[in-house]
Amino acid sequence: MDYKDLANLIFPDVKDISYYEEKYPERNLGEGAIVTRFAPSPTGFVHIGGLYQALVARTVAEKTGGVFFLRVEDTDQKREVEDGVTGIVNSLKDFDMAPDEGMISDTEEIGKYGPYKQSLRKEIYQSYAKYMIGQGKAYPCFCTPEEGEEIRQKQEAAKIRPGYYGVWAKCRNITVEEAAEKIKNGESYIIRFKSPGREDRKIKHKDIIKGNVDFPENDLDIVIIKADGLPTYHFAHAVDDHLMRTTHVIRSDEWLSSVPLHLQLFHELGFKAPKYAHISPIMKNDNGGKRKLSKRKDPEAAVEYYKKEGIPADAVKEYLLNIANSTFENWRRANPDKKIEEFDFQLNKMSVSGALFDMVKLLDIGKIVISKMTAEEVYEKSLEWAKEYDNELAELLNDKEYGLKVFGIERGNKKPRKDIAKWSDVISNIDYMYDDKFYGKIKEYPYQQAISDKEDISKILSLYIEKYYDSNDDKQTWFDKIKELAVEMGYAGEVKEFKANPGMYKAHVGDVSTVLRVALTARTNTPDMYEIMQVLGKDRIIKRLEVAKENLK
Ligand code: GLU
C-alpha cells in the first residue's frame, strides 16, 4: 500500500485535480492586469476596514483592466448568519462597488471561476487534499481533542512553542497501512498538511505594502480538511486563489504572519504564489492611546452606520482614499472637480501602520461632496435617504418643485453652500423654509443678538415692511435699502465705519440684517438671505415679519 492507495481510500469519488486545472484556465487579460478579491465571511456585517480593503482591491483591479471578485468564505459554519451574503452584497452596492465577478446575491453569482461560495467547493478542496495525500504531503490525523490538549499542556509545562509539529506531530509518521487500518475501523480523523519547513530557517517575503519581512519557516502541520469535510481558511485560500487566478491577495494585516505557511502551501501544491498586500487596520484614538476600530465598541465601525447617518457613499470612498494614499490630498487640491476614479492610486504607497479614523475630516469631505451636487441631485438623494430613515423629511420633500427651489439656494454658483455634511443634516438646514415647521419653532426665537432692544427690533421690522421692502428689487437694491434702513435708525451703514468708530454707533447694517434674518428664519445664521426671500415670496415674507412683531409684545 502506498500514498496513492491511502488517498483513494480517503477520497474515493473526487475528481483528479487536472479536471479543475483545465476548467479554470489562466485568465486572458492584458499585461499588468490585477485580479483580486474581497473575501469576507458571511456574517452580514461589513466593517469599515473591510470596505476599505474592498475599495483598494477594486480600485487597483479597475485601473489595470483586471478583475475584482467577491468570494464568500463560509467554511466556518459556526460564524454564519442568515442572509449574511445579502448584507455584504448590498453594502457593496450601496457604495457603488459591486464586484465584476462572484456572488451577487445570497444564491446567485456571475463569472466562470465559481462557485464563489466556499461551502459549494467542498469537492474541489477534497480533490486537492487527495492529491496532497497521494504525494505524501498530507496525512490523516487521528488525534482526539483530548490528545491535542494533552500535547498542548506538555508543551506549556516544558515551556516550548505550542503546536502540532515535529516530534509533537503524533500522526505524521503513521504508516499508510496503520492509517488505512484505523480508517477501516471507523476512527474519525482530519487531514493535516505535512510541513517540510524548519523553524530555525528564515524565509524572506516582499509584501507590496509592508515591504521586506523575514519570518521563520512554517513547520506546523496545520489542518487542511476539518472533520466536517470542509477546508480551513489556509487551505481554501491556496486552492481558491490559485483556481480563481488571483494575482494579488489584498487583505488585512492580521494575516501577514500566515504568509510563511501560505507560501509553503502554494509551493507544495505546485501553484504559483500570488503577490500579497497586507493592509493595516483603521485605528481610533482612545484615551490617549490608539486601538483598532471595534465592531463591539464603535458604531462607526459598521458600514451600515454611514448609510443610516446619510453620509454620501462618495464621501466615504473619498475619505478612505485619503487615508489610503497620502498623495490624495494634494491631488484633490489640484483637481477639485475630478472624479475619485481618476486619482492615480498606488498600492505600494499605502501606509505601513494603521491610519487614524477622523470623523471630522470625513464630514468635511461630505460637505464638499454635497456642495458640488446640483439641487436635483441633493433633492433626489435626500429623498431617497429620508424614505428609509426619516418620514418627517420625506413628507417635507413631497413637493418637488418647491424642494428644488429650497436646495437651489446658494447652489450651482462659484461658492456653493457647504452646510450639509450628510442627509441627516438636511432637515435642520431647511425646516425653516416650510411654514409648519417654521411657526412651530418660532417660540424658541433667539433674541440673543447685537440689537436686543424690543422697541428697536419692532421699529426695524415696521420700517422694513412699510418703507423698504419691495419684492421686485434686485440683490444690490435690496441690500442698499437695508443700509438705508440702518442709517435711518442711527446705526452704521458700513461695518468698516462701525469698527473705526466703536463709540458712535450701537450697531451696524449687519446687525439689522440679523434682525430681519431672525424674523424670517428663526436663526441667526443662514445661507444667502436674498435668495431665501426669493424662494419664500412676498406674502410669506410679510406674514413672517408681522408675526415676529406680534411675538415681541
Ligand atoms: N475570510 C477572511 C477574512 O474575513 C479573508 C481573508 C482574505 O482576504 O484572504 O478575514
Side-chain angles (χ1 to χ4, degrees):
M1 187 159 188
D2 62 8
Y3 289 135
K4 293 247 162 24
D5 301 322
L6 181 60
N8 276 325
L9 178 68
I10 295 177
F11 297 117
D13 300 322
V14 300
K15 293 189 178 67
D16 190 80
I17 61 167
S18 60
Y19 171 83
Y20 297 111
E21 294 297 325
E22 260 165 56
K23 184 169 177 195
Y24 305 111
E26 291 274 356
R27 292 169 185 267
N28 199 358
L29 298 168
E31 180 145 354
I34 290 180
V35 178
T36 189
R37 76 299 189 277
F38 179 40
S41 299
T43 57
F45 172 91
V46 181
H47 191 283
I48 186 76
L51 187 79
Y52 181 49
Q53 288 160 32
L55 176 66
V56 166
R58 189 174 187 274
T59 303
V60 292
E62 206 161 68
K63 292 234 168 272
T64 56
V67 177
F68 166 66
F69 67 85
L70 173 62
R71 178 171 73 226
V72 170
E73 307 216 319
D74 60 345
T75 59
D76 183 359
Q77 303 202 312
K78 288 192 290 292
R79 290 183 63 194
E80 209 158 327
V81 298
E82 213 183 312
D83 247 8
V85 182
T86 314
I88 292 166
V89 166
N90 288 345
S91 286
L92 288 182
K93 272 196 208 140
D94 288 339
F95 287 88
D96 200 13
M97 281 170 50
D100 306 317
E101 217 177 71
M103 302 305 294
I104 51 164
S105 78
D106 205 14
T107 51
E108 299 154 285
E109 57 175 41
I110 45 172
K112 293 195 192 126
Y113 288 80
Y116 295 89
K117 203 190 226 180
Q118 289 183 329
S119 55
L120 302 175
R121 300 172 63 77
K122 199 166 173 174
E123 245 197 77
I124 303 180
Y125 305 119
Q126 295 189 349
S127 286
Y128 283 86
K130 178 176 183 178
Y131 165 78
M132 293 287 273
I133 297 168
Q135 300 277 312
K137 293 177 175 179
Y139 60 90
C141 167
F142 303 90
C143 289
T144 58
E146 294 74 39
E147 283 172 289
E149 182 54 23
E150 209 177 292
I151 294 174
R152 207 189 55 75
Q153 281 176 7
K154 280 190 189 153
Q155 290 170 327
E156 200 177 313
K159 294 203 163 41
I160 48 179
R161 188 163 54 93
Y164 204 86
Y165 62 92
V167 293
W168 301 100
K170 258 175 84 179
C171 296
R172 185 180 168 109
N173 298 315
I174 282 186
T175 62
V176 286
E177 286 78 13
E178 218 180 312
E181 187 65 31
K182 284 175 179 283
I183 291 168
K184 284 181 193 148
N185 287 339
E187 279 190 40
S188 63
Y189 58 92
I190 51 175
I191 309 294
R192 285 188 185 271
F193 173 50
K194 193 185 268 182
S195 171
R198 275 177 38 184
E199 214 248 348
D200 59 351
R201 282 194 307 230
K202 291 234 164 202
I203 67 146
K204 283 190 189 315
H205 161 66
K206 189 168 168 44
D207 193 85
I208 298 176
I209 297 172
K210 303 280 176 178
N212 289 319
V213 270
D214 281 356
F215 288 108
E217 273 183 14
N218 172 65
D219 67 346
L220 297 176
D221 285 0
I222 58 121
V223 179
I224 57 174
I225 302 286
K226 300 178 291 179
D228 60 5
L230 284 167
T232 52
Y233 166 71
H234 307 294
F235 193 57
H237 155 52
V239 171
D240 290 347
D241 283 315
H242 165 67
L243 289 179
M244 294 176 183
R245 308 293 171 178
T246 303
T247 63
H248 290 58
V249 170
I250 298 172
R251 64 184 178 188
S252 148
D253 71 357
E254 69 190 281
W255 297 109
L256 182 65
S257 59
S258 302
V259 164
L261 165 64
H262 295 164
L263 291 176
Q264 210 175 51
L265 280 171
F266 274 87
H267 186 260
E268 296 305 310
L269 280 156
F271 303 157
K272 178 172 183 269
K275 293 201 163 67
Y276 287 95
H278 286 96
I279 297 188
S280 320
I282 297 177
M283 312 293 282
K284 176 176 174 128
N285 267 331
D286 188 15
N287 274 327
K290 272 211 252 177
R291 62 166 173 81
K292 282 190 202 179
L293 265 185
S294 134
K295 171 178 175 175
R296 221 164 21 85
K297 293 189 211 154
D298 311 309
E300 73 274 25
V303 296
E304 196 57 27
Y305 170 87
Y306 302 86
K307 191 178 179 206
K308 277 193 195 135
E309 283 289 300
I311 301 175
D314 280 346
V316 175
K317 287 199 282 186
E318 171 141 357
Y319 175 67
L320 293 177
L321 284 178
N322 241 288
I323 55 178
N325 268 186
S326 58
T327 48
F328 184 90
E329 200 154 6
N330 276 336
W331 173 82
R332 176 48 94 205
R333 212 169 289 129
N335 304 283
D337 297 320
K338 285 198 175 158
K339 285 197 151 66
I340 52 173
E341 286 75 19
E342 293 176 64
F343 172 64
D344 181 23
F345 178 77
Q346 300 289 329
L347 192 54
N348 58 1
K349 298 231 173 81
M350 287 188 72
S351 100
V352 175
S353 58
L356 211 52
F357 188 82
D358 183 349
M359 186 58 94
V360 175
K361 170 114 191 193
L362 168 57
L363 293 178
D364 274 345
I365 292 176
K367 285 181 184 168
I368 295 169
V369 165
I370 295 177
S371 78
K372 287 181 190 156
M373 293 181 183
T374 62
E376 176 95 29
E377 276 175 284
V378 177
Y379 175 82
E380 294 297 346
K381 289 191 195 276
S382 1
L383 182 60
E384 190 188 323
W385 177 84
K387 279 182 181 161
E388 200 163 343
Y389 299 105
D390 187 349
N391 282 334
E392 199 184 350
L393 177 62
E395 245 166 67
L396 284 190
L397 296 181
N398 239 336
D399 180 348
K400 180 169 177 179
E401 203 189 335
Y402 184 69
L404 288 180
K405 283 189 196 158
V406 170
F407 287 125
I409 293 170
E410 265 195 59
R411 189 173 295 281
N413 52 1
K414 264 210 187 115
K415 265 192 79 195
R417 64 193 281 188
K418 286 207 182 83
D419 50 355
I420 304 174
K422 49 189 196 308
W423 307 124
S424 52
D425 285 348
V426 165
I427 193 147
S428 61
N429 274 285
I430 65 164
D431 57 357
Y432 59 85
M433 294 304 290
Y434 292 84
D435 289 338
D436 284 352
K437 298 270 171 246
F438 171 76
Y439 289 111
K441 254 198 170 167
I442 216 161
K443 287 156 211 93
E444 332 151 10
Y445 217 75
Y447 282 110
Q448 298 294 55
Q449 18 170 335
I451 302 174
S452 57
D453 184 86
K454 284 192 180 182
E455 248 169 65
D456 276 15
I457 293 177
S458 181
K459 199 157 168 213
I460 292 171
L461 296 174
S462 301
L463 270 174
Y464 192 66
I465 298 169
E466 283 145 27
K467 187 164 165 194
Y468 291 102
Y469 175 61
D470 181 341
S471 61
N472 297 317
D473 285 343
D474 63 17
K475 191 164 178 180
Q476 191 57 49
T477 316
W478 165 84
F479 189 62
D480 288 345
K481 284 186 173 172
I482 297 177
K483 264 191 210 172
E484 277 174 48
L485 193 163
V487 175
E488 180 172 344
M489 291 282 301
Y491 302 132
E494 303 282 346
V495 182
K496 274 205 304 271
E497 233 176 285
F498 176 78
K499 286 196 175 141
N501 307 290
M504 258 179 75
Y505 304 100
K506 280 191 294 181
H508 59 71
V509 57
D511 304 321
V512 174
S513 281
T514 302
V515 167
L516 294 172
R517 190 187 307 277
V518 169
L520 288 170
T521 65
R523 301 164 155 247
T524 48
N525 240 316
T526 67
D528 187 89
M529 191 159 59
Y530 180 76
E531 288 188 45
I532 288 176
M533 290 171 73
Q534 295 299 105
V535 175
L536 286 175
K538 182 172 178 181
D539 295 345
R540 291 169 70 203
I541 290 171
I542 301 291
K543 176 153 183 225
R544 287 186 183 202
L545 297 176
E546 298 281 11
V547 170
K549 254 176 65 185
E550 272 307 299
N551 284 343
L552 281 167
K553 287 177 190 159

mmCIF file of all heavy atoms in Angstrom, residues 142-169:
data_model
loop_
_atom_site.group_PDB
_atom_site.id
_atom_site.type_symbol
_atom_site.label_atom_id
_atom_site.label_comp_id
_atom_site.label_asym_id
_atom_site.label_seq_id
_atom_site.Cartn_x
_atom_site.Cartn_y
_atom_site.Cartn_z
ATOM 1 N N PHE A 142 -5.450 11.223 13.548
ATOM 2 C CA PHE A 142 -6.497 10.594 14.352
ATOM 3 C C PHE A 142 -6.515 11.094 15.787
ATOM 4 O O PHE A 142 -7.237 10.568 16.619
ATOM 5 C CB PHE A 142 -6.306 9.058 14.326
ATOM 6 C CG PHE A 142 -6.316 8.502 12.931
ATOM 7 C CD1 PHE A 142 -5.140 8.387 12.193
ATOM 8 C CD2 PHE A 142 -7.518 8.116 12.338
ATOM 9 C CE1 PHE A 142 -5.151 7.887 10.892
ATOM 10 C CE2 PHE A 142 -7.533 7.618 11.039
ATOM 11 C CZ PHE A 142 -6.353 7.507 10.305
ATOM 12 N N CYS A 143 -5.685 12.074 16.068
ATOM 13 C CA CYS A 143 -5.631 12.581 17.448
ATOM 14 C C CYS A 143 -6.995 13.122 17.859
ATOM 15 O O CYS A 143 -7.625 13.862 17.102
ATOM 16 C CB CYS A 143 -4.601 13.699 17.562
ATOM 17 S SG CYS A 143 -2.915 13.109 17.431
ATOM 18 N N THR A 144 -7.393 12.776 19.053
ATOM 19 C CA THR A 144 -8.668 13.288 19.570
ATOM 20 C C THR A 144 -8.414 14.677 20.161
ATOM 21 O O THR A 144 -7.261 15.017 20.459
ATOM 22 C CB THR A 144 -9.198 12.382 20.690
ATOM 23 O OG1 THR A 144 -8.186 12.335 21.709
ATOM 24 C CG2 THR A 144 -9.482 10.982 20.179
ATOM 25 N N PRO A 145 -9.469 15.454 20.370
ATOM 26 C CA PRO A 145 -9.280 16.760 21.022
ATOM 27 C C PRO A 145 -8.556 16.616 22.363
ATOM 28 O O PRO A 145 -7.728 17.443 22.727
ATOM 29 C CB PRO A 145 -10.699 17.284 21.212
ATOM 30 C CG PRO A 145 -11.520 16.579 20.173
ATOM 31 C CD PRO A 145 -10.847 15.246 19.947
ATOM 32 N N GLU A 146 -8.838 15.536 23.079
ATOM 33 C CA GLU A 146 -8.183 15.330 24.384
ATOM 34 C C GLU A 146 -6.673 15.147 24.203
ATOM 35 O O GLU A 146 -5.870 15.685 24.952
ATOM 36 C CB GLU A 146 -8.749 14.098 25.114
ATOM 37 C CG GLU A 146 -10.211 14.210 25.544
ATOM 38 C CD GLU A 146 -11.192 14.091 24.376
ATOM 39 O OE1 GLU A 146 -10.943 13.268 23.470
ATOM 40 O OE2 GLU A 146 -12.183 14.840 24.357
ATOM 41 N N GLU A 147 -6.324 14.383 23.185
ATOM 42 C CA GLU A 147 -4.887 14.193 22.926
ATOM 43 C C GLU A 147 -4.224 15.515 22.547
ATOM 44 O O GLU A 147 -3.108 15.802 22.949
ATOM 45 C CB GLU A 147 -4.681 13.174 21.796
ATOM 46 C CG GLU A 147 -4.873 11.743 22.257
ATOM 47 C CD GLU A 147 -4.853 10.767 21.081
ATOM 48 O OE1 GLU A 147 -5.841 10.776 20.301
ATOM 49 O OE2 GLU A 147 -3.864 10.031 20.945
ATOM 50 N N GLY A 148 -4.953 16.301 21.779
ATOM 51 C CA GLY A 148 -4.454 17.621 21.376
ATOM 52 C C GLY A 148 -4.176 18.463 22.611
ATOM 53 O O GLY A 148 -3.122 19.109 22.731
ATOM 54 N N GLU A 149 -5.116 18.426 23.542
ATOM 55 C CA GLU A 149 -4.999 19.197 24.777
ATOM 56 C C GLU A 149 -3.796 18.708 25.609
ATOM 57 O O GLU A 149 -3.029 19.498 26.172
ATOM 58 C CB GLU A 149 -6.310 19.051 25.568
ATOM 59 C CG GLU A 149 -6.383 19.822 26.871
ATOM 60 C CD GLU A 149 -6.091 21.317 26.718
ATOM 61 O OE1 GLU A 149 -6.256 21.874 25.598
ATOM 62 O OE2 GLU A 149 -5.668 21.921 27.704
ATOM 63 N N GLU A 150 -3.620 17.400 25.624
ATOM 64 C CA GLU A 150 -2.509 16.797 26.362
ATOM 65 C C GLU A 150 -1.161 17.294 25.812
ATOM 66 O O GLU A 150 -0.264 17.680 26.570
ATOM 67 C CB GLU A 150 -2.605 15.288 26.169
ATOM 68 C CG GLU A 150 -2.052 14.454 27.300
ATOM 69 C CD GLU A 150 -2.301 12.983 26.976
ATOM 70 O OE1 GLU A 150 -3.496 12.568 26.975
ATOM 71 O OE2 GLU A 150 -1.318 12.284 26.689
ATOM 72 N N ILE A 151 -1.082 17.321 24.482
ATOM 73 C CA ILE A 151 0.152 17.800 23.837
ATOM 74 C C ILE A 151 0.409 19.248 24.242
ATOM 75 O O ILE A 151 1.510 19.632 24.632
ATOM 76 C CB ILE A 151 0.031 17.695 22.288
ATOM 77 C CG1 ILE A 151 -0.052 16.229 21.863
ATOM 78 C CG2 ILE A 151 1.190 18.400 21.601
ATOM 79 C CD1 ILE A 151 -0.319 16.021 20.380
ATOM 80 N N ARG A 152 -0.660 20.029 24.198
ATOM 81 C CA ARG A 152 -0.538 21.451 24.497
ATOM 82 C C ARG A 152 -0.019 21.653 25.930
ATOM 83 O O ARG A 152 0.865 22.466 26.190
ATOM 84 C CB ARG A 152 -1.894 22.132 24.317
ATOM 85 C CG ARG A 152 -1.808 23.611 23.963
ATOM 86 C CD ARG A 152 -3.179 24.270 24.016
ATOM 87 N NE ARG A 152 -3.832 24.075 25.313
ATOM 88 C CZ ARG A 152 -3.505 24.709 26.425
ATOM 89 N NH1 ARG A 152 -2.536 25.604 26.419
ATOM 90 N NH2 ARG A 152 -4.122 24.457 27.575
ATOM 91 N N GLN A 153 -0.586 20.877 26.843
ATOM 92 C CA GLN A 153 -0.183 21.013 28.245
ATOM 93 C C GLN A 153 1.274 20.628 28.462
ATOM 94 O O GLN A 153 1.997 21.289 29.206
ATOM 95 C CB GLN A 153 -1.088 20.175 29.134
ATOM 96 C CG GLN A 153 -2.412 20.865 29.383
ATOM 97 C CD GLN A 153 -3.372 20.011 30.191
ATOM 98 O OE1 GLN A 153 -3.009 18.946 30.674
ATOM 99 N NE2 GLN A 153 -4.600 20.488 30.317
ATOM 100 N N LYS A 154 1.684 19.560 27.789
ATOM 101 C CA LYS A 154 3.085 19.134 27.915
ATOM 102 C C LYS A 154 4.008 20.226 27.400
ATOM 103 O O LYS A 154 5.042 20.519 28.000
ATOM 104 C CB LYS A 154 3.319 17.848 27.117
ATOM 105 C CG LYS A 154 2.850 16.609 27.838
ATOM 106 C CD LYS A 154 3.356 15.372 27.094
ATOM 107 C CE LYS A 154 2.718 14.103 27.657
ATOM 108 N NZ LYS A 154 2.646 13.049 26.646
ATOM 109 N N GLN A 155 3.609 20.822 26.274
ATOM 110 C CA GLN A 155 4.440 21.873 25.687
ATOM 111 C C GLN A 155 4.520 23.070 26.626
ATOM 112 O O GLN A 155 5.582 23.660 26.822
ATOM 113 C CB GLN A 155 3.877 22.306 24.318
ATOM 114 C CG GLN A 155 4.065 21.222 23.252
ATOM 115 C CD GLN A 155 3.313 21.523 21.969
ATOM 116 O OE1 GLN A 155 2.243 22.123 22.005
ATOM 117 N NE2 GLN A 155 3.872 21.107 20.840
ATOM 118 N N GLU A 156 3.405 23.369 27.219
ATOM 119 C CA GLU A 156 3.368 24.515 28.125
ATOM 120 C C GLU A 156 4.265 24.258 29.333
ATOM 121 O O GLU A 156 5.056 25.108 29.736
ATOM 122 C CB GLU A 156 1.926 24.766 28.567
ATOM 123 C CG GLU A 156 1.715 26.170 29.088
ATOM 124 C CD GLU A 156 0.260 26.421 29.444
ATOM 125 O OE1 GLU A 156 -0.618 26.076 28.615
ATOM 126 O OE2 GLU A 156 0.007 26.924 30.545
ATOM 127 N N ALA A 157 4.126 23.058 29.899
ATOM 128 C CA ALA A 157 4.924 22.706 31.070
ATOM 129 C C ALA A 157 6.412 22.754 30.757
ATOM 130 O O ALA A 157 7.221 23.209 31.575
ATOM 131 C CB ALA A 157 4.529 21.314 31.565
ATOM 132 N N ALA A 158 6.767 22.344 29.551
ATOM 133 C CA ALA A 158 8.181 22.334 29.169
ATOM 134 C C ALA A 158 8.611 23.687 28.594
ATOM 135 O O ALA A 158 9.746 23.838 28.149
ATOM 136 C CB ALA A 158 8.438 21.219 28.153
ATOM 137 N N LYS A 159 7.674 24.629 28.582
ATOM 138 C CA LYS A 159 7.924 25.975 28.052
ATOM 139 C C LYS A 159 8.453 25.947 26.626
ATOM 140 O O LYS A 159 9.441 26.616 26.296
ATOM 141 C CB LYS A 159 8.903 26.743 28.952
ATOM 142 C CG LYS A 159 8.371 27.062 30.335
ATOM 143 C CD LYS A 159 9.099 28.240 30.935
ATOM 144 C CE LYS A 159 8.402 28.883 32.111
ATOM 145 N NZ LYS A 159 7.766 28.002 33.096
ATOM 146 N N ILE A 160 7.820 25.162 25.813
ATOM 147 C CA ILE A 160 8.211 25.179 24.400
ATOM 148 C C ILE A 160 7.028 25.581 23.529
ATOM 149 O O ILE A 160 5.886 25.562 23.967
ATOM 150 C CB ILE A 160 8.814 23.839 23.914
ATOM 151 C CG1 ILE A 160 7.922 22.696 24.357
ATOM 152 C CG2 ILE A 160 10.233 23.657 24.398
ATOM 153 C CD1 ILE A 160 8.446 21.366 23.900
ATOM 154 N N ARG A 161 7.375 25.986 22.344
ATOM 155 C CA ARG A 161 6.399 26.524 21.391
ATOM 156 C C ARG A 161 5.235 25.547 21.204
ATOM 157 O O ARG A 161 5.436 24.360 20.946
ATOM 158 C CB ARG A 161 7.129 26.734 20.058
ATOM 159 C CG ARG A 161 6.376 27.465 18.979
ATOM 160 C CD ARG A 161 7.372 27.945 17.927
ATOM 161 N NE ARG A 161 8.193 26.848 17.442
ATOM 162 C CZ ARG A 161 7.913 26.112 16.365
ATOM 163 N NH1 ARG A 161 6.850 26.373 15.637
ATOM 164 N NH2 ARG A 161 8.713 25.134 16.004
ATOM 165 N N PRO A 162 4.012 26.021 21.351
ATOM 166 C CA PRO A 162 2.863 25.131 21.185
ATOM 167 C C PRO A 162 2.609 24.810 19.718
ATOM 168 O O PRO A 162 3.043 25.536 18.832
ATOM 169 C CB PRO A 162 1.698 25.929 21.766
ATOM 170 C CG PRO A 162 2.088 27.354 21.564
ATOM 171 C CD PRO A 162 3.593 27.401 21.660
ATOM 172 N N GLY A 163 1.923 23.733 19.479
ATOM 173 C CA GLY A 163 1.513 23.432 18.104
ATOM 174 C C GLY A 163 1.781 22.001 17.704
ATOM 175 O O GLY A 163 2.503 21.260 18.389
ATOM 176 N N TYR A 164 1.223 21.626 16.587
ATOM 177 C CA TYR A 164 1.348 20.261 16.062
ATOM 178 C C TYR A 164 2.478 20.273 15.039
ATOM 179 O O TYR A 164 2.285 20.644 13.885
ATOM 180 C CB TYR A 164 0.008 19.875 15.414
ATOM 181 C CG TYR A 164 -0.230 18.387 15.346
ATOM 182 C CD1 TYR A 164 -0.790 17.697 16.421
ATOM 183 C CD2 TYR A 164 0.081 17.673 14.194
ATOM 184 C CE1 TYR A 164 -1.029 16.318 16.346
ATOM 185 C CE2 TYR A 164 -0.151 16.304 14.116
ATOM 186 C CZ TYR A 164 -0.693 15.630 15.196
ATOM 187 O OH TYR A 164 -0.933 14.277 15.125
ATOM 188 N N TYR A 165 3.670 19.941 15.501
ATOM 189 C CA TYR A 165 4.835 19.986 14.598
ATOM 190 C C TYR A 165 5.897 19.007 15.081
ATOM 191 O O TYR A 165 5.869 18.553 16.235
ATOM 192 C CB TYR A 165 5.423 21.411 14.553
ATOM 193 C CG TYR A 165 5.940 21.904 15.886
ATOM 194 C CD1 TYR A 165 7.277 21.725 16.251
ATOM 195 C CD2 TYR A 165 5.091 22.548 16.791
ATOM 196 C CE1 TYR A 165 7.753 22.168 17.480
ATOM 197 C CE2 TYR A 165 5.564 23.000 18.018
ATOM 198 C CZ TYR A 165 6.888 22.816 18.356
ATOM 199 O OH TYR A 165 7.354 23.242 19.577
ATOM 200 N N GLY A 166 6.841 18.693 14.187
ATOM 201 C CA GLY A 166 7.989 17.864 14.545
ATOM 202 C C GLY A 166 7.617 16.634 15.359
ATOM 203 O O GLY A 166 6.682 15.907 15.014
ATOM 204 N N VAL A 167 8.315 16.474 16.473
ATOM 205 C CA VAL A 167 8.074 15.281 17.293
ATOM 206 C C VAL A 167 6.689 15.272 17.922
ATOM 207 O O VAL A 167 6.193 14.225 18.346
ATOM 208 C CB VAL A 167 9.123 15.151 18.423
ATOM 209 C CG1 VAL A 167 10.502 14.875 17.840
ATOM 210 C CG2 VAL A 167 9.122 16.407 19.287
ATOM 211 N N TRP A 168 6.105 16.436 18.005
ATOM 212 C CA TRP A 168 4.770 16.515 18.614
ATOM 213 C C TRP A 168 3.675 16.060 17.650
ATOM 214 O O TRP A 168 2.553 15.800 18.062
ATOM 215 C CB TRP A 168 4.484 17.952 19.053
ATOM 216 C CG TRP A 168 5.479 18.451 20.035
ATOM 217 C CD1 TRP A 168 6.543 19.256 19.790
ATOM 218 C CD2 TRP A 168 5.527 18.130 21.420
ATOM 219 N NE1 TRP A 168 7.260 19.475 20.926
ATOM 220 C CE2 TRP A 168 6.651 18.784 21.962
ATOM 221 C CE3 TRP A 168 4.729 17.342 22.278
ATOM 222 C CZ2 TRP A 168 7.006 18.695 23.301
ATOM 223 C CZ3 TRP A 168 5.083 17.262 23.612
ATOM 224 C CH2 TRP A 168 6.219 17.936 24.104
ATOM 225 N N ALA A 169 4.018 16.007 16.379
ATOM 226 C CA ALA A 169 3.022 15.639 15.376
ATOM 227 C C ALA A 169 2.905 14.116 15.344
ATOM 228 O O ALA A 169 3.540 13.426 14.550
ATOM 229 C CB ALA A 169 3.431 16.187 14.010
#
